[in-house]
Amino acid sequence: MSLRHALLVSLSRKQGTGYEIANEFDRGLGYFWPASHQQIYQELGKMAVERLVAFTRRQQPDKPPKKIYRVTGNGRKSLIAWLATPVDMPAVKDPLLIKLFAGDLIPAQTLLDEIDRHNAINAEILSRYRSIEKQYFDNPDALPATSQFIYMTLLRGITARKAWRAWALRVRRFLENQAHNAS
Amino acid sequence: MSLRHALLVSLSRKQGTGYEIANEFDRGLGYFWPASHQQIYQELGKMAVERLVAFTRRQQPDKPPKKIYRVTGNGRKSLIAWLATPVDMPAVKDPLLIKLFAGDLIPAQTLLDEIDRHNAINAEILSRYRSIEKQYFDNPDALPATSQFIYMTLLRGITARKAWRAWALRVRRFLENQAHNAS
DNA sequence: GTAACCATGTAACACGTTACATGATTGT
DNA sequence: ACAATCATGTAACGTGTTACATGGTTAC
């Protein structure tokens, strides 16, 4: 339901092709609303039918033709309306917690490995966030409001990943104990 | 893909009807793998066809008949196998962050209201978790391993909600500034 | 010659949500 | 009377994933 709004946000900043949006999603909006290129093409198609976006076809010599999308008046109205409409908090859906919930059914070492694996991924993501912070948000107060809003979303990622790491450490201690007591 | 495993975990602890499982999900596994009763009935049906679970029909006078499900040998094997298979970290999908990302398009007050609303919900959930902690996990080391594993999942909820609150406070400060500067 | 990039899509399937349907019992 | 609890489901729809398809250009 929110993909279309994410697309409207992206196109509000800058018009572009489905391809470009799909790429930008990998380092922007996609951090909190992931979408594949297939889904993006499809959704843009529907949105064009509903007159929320419009596109111009641009022929390129020796390259496939582009469809450059932009937001229509309708689209802008619908985005503003959505921004003022309450949204639900996202549901938690984490298979790792199912595993932990059933932890007594398998060797503690198996879960330890899994926690470590997740922890490595989490650490990588956190350090990526931090390097973005250093590069673009070193002195956030000096930035234009637009960027400061984006900084708030980055901070969400950073605090969430730090909290995850702290929790994982606690779980590790518990699992190590389990592994010892079992032997 | 994980619903069936969640159901196998639930039925491994205690056999029961779809109805009972659906209820238990509201205060157990459902915290990190929500599912409606429709979905649960449907999935149990498929799992019975695939011989992961089996059921006994029990007639009750003056009440609809029950289907009491239990895990089969196959089901147990498939659960153990899954528990040892790596799972992906869940993707973040949060419409509130889309809104924040586009925060410059609407009055800061609108976002402030939304943050406060989410914060109230978050606080409620956190306090529920804490009361569960007090009631059941006051002295976790004294508990059997099974319960300690469950406690780890509760701790996940608590640290996550606390981190969310801390972030929201930071965002509030920023939004209040925005609201002032705009006037 | 192999992969990555540019640029678009279709189709089948899996997963989840919402609405609808039945029907008795107990509580306010 | 109306809602809640017990107990089961079907059907339509919406969203998301995976696989497949095309075809030229640039980089190693």
Side-chain angles (χ1 to χ4, degrees):
Chain A
M1 186 74 274
S2 293
L3 175 58
R4 56 186 3 167
H5 304 294
L7 293 173
L8 288 171
V9 170
S10 175
L11 289 173
S12 293
R13 297 223 180 285
K14 190 167 162 294
Q15 60 169 76
T17 67
Y19 185 83
E20 285 162 359
I21 294 173
N23 282 340
E24 285 161 24
F25 259 53
D26 290 338
R27 9 177 212 97
L29 278 160
Y31 282 130
F32 35 88
W33 204 273
S36 63
H37 76 97
Q38 292 93 332
Q39 223 190 324
I40 290 171
Y41 282 127
Q42 200 111 22
E43 193 65 31
L44 284 174
K46 280 189 222 162
M47 289 164 80
V49 171
E50 297 174 43
R51 310 283 169 203
L52 299 169
V53 296
F55 62 86
T56 316
R57 220 184 233 98
R58 170 142 336 148
Q59 293 295 337
Q60 306 177 106
D62 304 335
K63 273 187 187 174
K66 282 181 180 184
K67 276 185 180 178
I68 300 168
Y69 284 92
R70 62 185 176 280
V71 179
T72 63
N74 250 330
R76 189 170 175 79
K77 241 181 57 187
S78 133
L79 173 59
I80 300 291
W82 178 77
L83 286 168
T85 309
V87 289
D88 286 340
M89 290 191 103
V92 179
K93 264 204 154 181
D94 191 342
L96 180 62
L97 295 176
I98 300 179
K99 285 189 173 190
L100 213 57
F101 193 88
D104 54 320
L105 299 178
I106 43 164
Q109 189 58 48
T110 307
L111 275 176
L112 259 176
D113 292 348
E114 181 82 327
I115 288 276
D116 286 343
R117 204 176 59 79
H118 282 237
N119 196 41
I121 296 167
N122 187 70
E124 211 178 282
I125 295 172
L126 177 55
S127 90
R128 181 150 28 102
Y129 288 169
R130 278 189 162 142
S131 83
I132 295 171
E133 190 182 26
K134 239 177 217 162
Q135 234 191 314
Y136 300 103
F137 304 101
D138 203 31
N139 184 12
D141 296 338
L143 293 168
T146 312
S147 305
Q148 289 191 48
F149 276 106
I150 293 173
Y151 183 46
M152 291 301 115
T153 68
L154 179 63
L155 281 183
R156 173 69 194 125
I158 292 174
T159 55
R161 297 294 167 181
K162 277 161 83 174
W164 196 91
R165 185 183 54 186
W167 170 76
L169 234 88
R170 174 74 173 79
V171 175
R172 271 203 113 262
R173 272 208 313 277
F174 165 66
L175 290 174
E176 272 170 353
N177 251 321
Q178 286 297 115
H180 276 282
N181 294 357
S183 65
Chain B
M1 185 77 273
S2 293
L3 175 57
R4 57 185 359 158
H5 305 295
L7 293 173
L8 288 171
V9 170
S10 174
L11 290 174
S12 293
R13 296 222 182 287
K14 189 168 164 295
Q15 59 168 76
T17 67
Y19 186 83
E20 284 162 0
I21 294 172
N23 281 340
E24 283 160 24
F25 259 53
D26 289 339
R27 12 178 209 95
L29 279 161
Y31 282 131
F32 35 88
W33 204 274
S36 63
H37 74 98
Q38 292 92 334
Q39 222 190 326
I40 290 170
Y41 282 126
Q42 200 112 22
E43 194 64 32
L44 285 174
K46 281 189 221 161
M47 290 164 80
V49 170
E50 296 173 45
R51 311 281 168 204
L52 299 170
V53 296
F55 62 86
T56 317
R57 219 182 234 99
R58 170 142 338 148
Q59 294 295 337
Q60 305 178 106
D62 304 335
K63 272 188 188 175
K66 282 182 181 184
K67 276 185 180 178
I68 300 168
Y69 284 92
R70 62 185 175 280
V71 179
T72 63
N74 250 328
R76 188 169 177 82
K77 242 181 55 188
S78 134
L79 173 59
I80 300 291
W82 177 77
L83 286 167
T85 308
V87 289
D88 286 339
M89 288 190 105
V92 179
K93 265 203 152 181
D94 191 344
L96 180 62
L97 294 177
I98 301 179
K99 285 189 173 191
L100 213 57
F101 193 88
D104 54 321
L105 299 178
I106 42 163
Q109 188 58 49
T110 306
L111 275 177
L112 259 176
D113 292 347
E114 181 81 326
I115 288 276
D116 286 343
R117 205 176 57 80
H118 281 236
N119 196 40
I121 297 166
N122 187 70
E124 209 178 284
I125 295 171
L126 177 55
S127 90
R128 181 151 27 104
Y129 289 169
R130 278 188 161 144
S131 82
I132 294 171
E133 191 182 27
K134 237 176 218 164
Q135 233 192 316
Y136 299 102
F137 304 101
D138 202 32
N139 184 12
D141 296 339
L143 294 168
T146 313
S147 304
Q148 289 190 49
F149 277 106
I150 293 174
Y151 183 46
M152 293 299 117
T153 69
L154 180 63
L155 281 183
R156 174 67 193 126
I158 291 173
T159 56
R161 297 295 167 179
K162 277 160 85 173
W164 196 92
R165 186 183 54 187
W167 170 76
L169 234 87
R170 173 77 173 78
V171 174
R172 272 204 112 261
R173 272 208 313 278
F174 165 66
L175 290 174
E176 272 169 354
N177 252 321
Q178 286 296 115
H180 276 281
N181 295 357
S183 65

